[in-house]
Amino acid sequence: MLTTILAAGGTAAAENQFGLQAALKEGGLISQSVFTILVLMSIVSFYILFSKLFEQQKIINQAKRVRQGFWTSNSLREGAAKLEKNSAYKQLVDDGLQAQDQHAKLTDPVEAHDWLHGSLARSEAAINSKLGGGLAFLATVGATAPFIGLFGTVVGIYRALIKIGASGDPSIDKVAGPVGEALIMTALGLVVAVPAVLAYNWLQRRNKSIAEDLSAFSNDVLGFLASNGAVKPTMAGATTTAKAPVKPAAATTTAGQAGGVQTRP
């Protein structure tokens, strides 16, 4: 039993000679700098991922509240009062009402529809731009992290080969360890890049869905303003009025019957 424990301890000590710390030491300042850059990239990427998820979910919840009760209001100002202060949908409504007030003050004749549409589109673009903030960093990390890790690997292998050549012992046990440690940098680059790419694509897809909802709401606000409140979207949960029973179609008589008239299909 004692010999087994001592043997296991000796194996663990031998394994500790190879690994990340050994690779950083073998690669020198350049490998350590590459490792630090990759770690910072990973931390910032995950921060952007979670912060954007929180921001997107907030707007998605706002959209649910808009669908539930906004269009039951008698006016846009009354409906806007029901929304949160920093709601993206409230911003669209406020900008639309402001554009309507500004149109009456224009000295150069401009179509009201064009003026309102441009103002709402500008407000919608500002919201989408804010949602897209930080995604460029994720794309940059996904594109550059593998090459940064590869650079650390090249430097690590170069330094390892120089050290092995200086020692004059090119045996496989002397080459495999340092070269394998240098390859850790490439693995780290992939570990940083893959989550960043996945996060970028996922957040972009969610932003596209949010942008579609904002565009639909902006179009509804434009219709409401352009019609002085006569046009508003139909609420999904609204109670539908009972339809009048459909009268059965009168039976058509065919030619050959008494007084019948031949009907065309």
Side-chain angles (χ1 to χ4, degrees):
M1 178 66 71
L2 181 59
T3 56
T4 304
I5 295 175
L6 292 177
T11 304
E15 291 178 353
N16 289 335
Q17 296 177 1
F18 303 97
L20 181 59
Q21 293 182 355
L24 294 177
K25 183 178 180 180
E26 188 71 31
L29 181 61
I30 295 179
S31 293
Q32 294 169 10
S33 301
V34 168
F35 176 77
T36 303
I37 292 173
L38 291 175
V39 169
L40 291 176
M41 280 183 167
S42 180
I43 293 174
V44 176
S45 297
F46 278 101
Y47 171 77
I48 292 175
L49 170 62
F50 291 115
S51 62
K52 287 300 172 182
L53 282 176
F54 175 78
E55 187 176 355
Q56 290 175 344
Q57 190 60 45
K58 185 177 179 180
I59 296 182
I60 292 174
N61 293 336
Q62 292 171 0
K64 293 179 181 178
R65 287 190 286 271
V66 167
R67 287 192 292 266
Q68 289 175 357
F70 178 82
W71 292 110
T72 58
S73 305
N74 297 323
S75 65
L76 289 181
R77 298 186 188 276
E78 180 182 342
K82 300 179 181 179
L83 302 178
E84 298 177 7
K85 181 179 180 181
N86 296 324
S87 171
Y89 292 88
K90 180 177 175 61
Q91 177 180 334
L92 282 174
V93 175
D94 291 342
D95 290 343
L97 293 173
Q98 184 179 8
Q100 187 180 45
D101 297 336
Q102 291 175 345
H103 181 264
K105 303 176 183 178
L106 297 178
T107 57
D108 188 21
V110 179
E111 287 289 339
H113 177 273
D114 295 338
W115 177 259
L116 293 174
H117 183 270
S119 299
L120 290 172
R122 183 171 60 250
S123 179
E124 184 182 342
I127 297 172
N128 291 330
S129 177
K130 184 178 180 181
L131 283 173
L135 297 187
F137 181 84
L138 293 179
T140 302
V141 170
T144 60
F147 297 102
I148 294 175
L150 183 60
F151 174 74
T153 295
V154 171
V155 173
I157 292 176
Y158 173 76
R159 291 174 64 92
L161 293 178
I162 292 297
K163 185 176 179 180
I164 292 170
S167 65
D169 185 9
S171 59
I172 188 63
D173 58 331
K174 300 296 183 181
V175 175
V179 172
E181 291 167 358
L183 293 174
I184 293 178
M185 290 300 170
T186 299
L188 288 176
L190 295 175
V191 168
V192 173
V194 171
V197 172
L198 295 177
Y200 173 80
N201 292 331
W202 187 32
L203 293 175
Q204 279 284 58
R205 180 64 188 90
R206 286 168 63 91
N207 278 347
K208 182 178 179 182
S209 177
I210 293 173
E212 292 173 354
D213 290 339
L214 289 172
S215 179
F217 181 76
S218 177
N219 186 68
D220 293 336
V221 171
L222 177 61
F224 190 94
L225 292 173
S227 64
N228 291 326
V231 176
K232 64 171 62 177
T234 304
M235 300 301 297
T239 305
T240 56
T241 56
K243 296 183 179 179
V246 180
K247 296 181 179 180
T252 56
T253 56
T254 58
Q257 295 178 346
V261 179
Q262 185 176 6
T263 58
R264 296 181 180 179

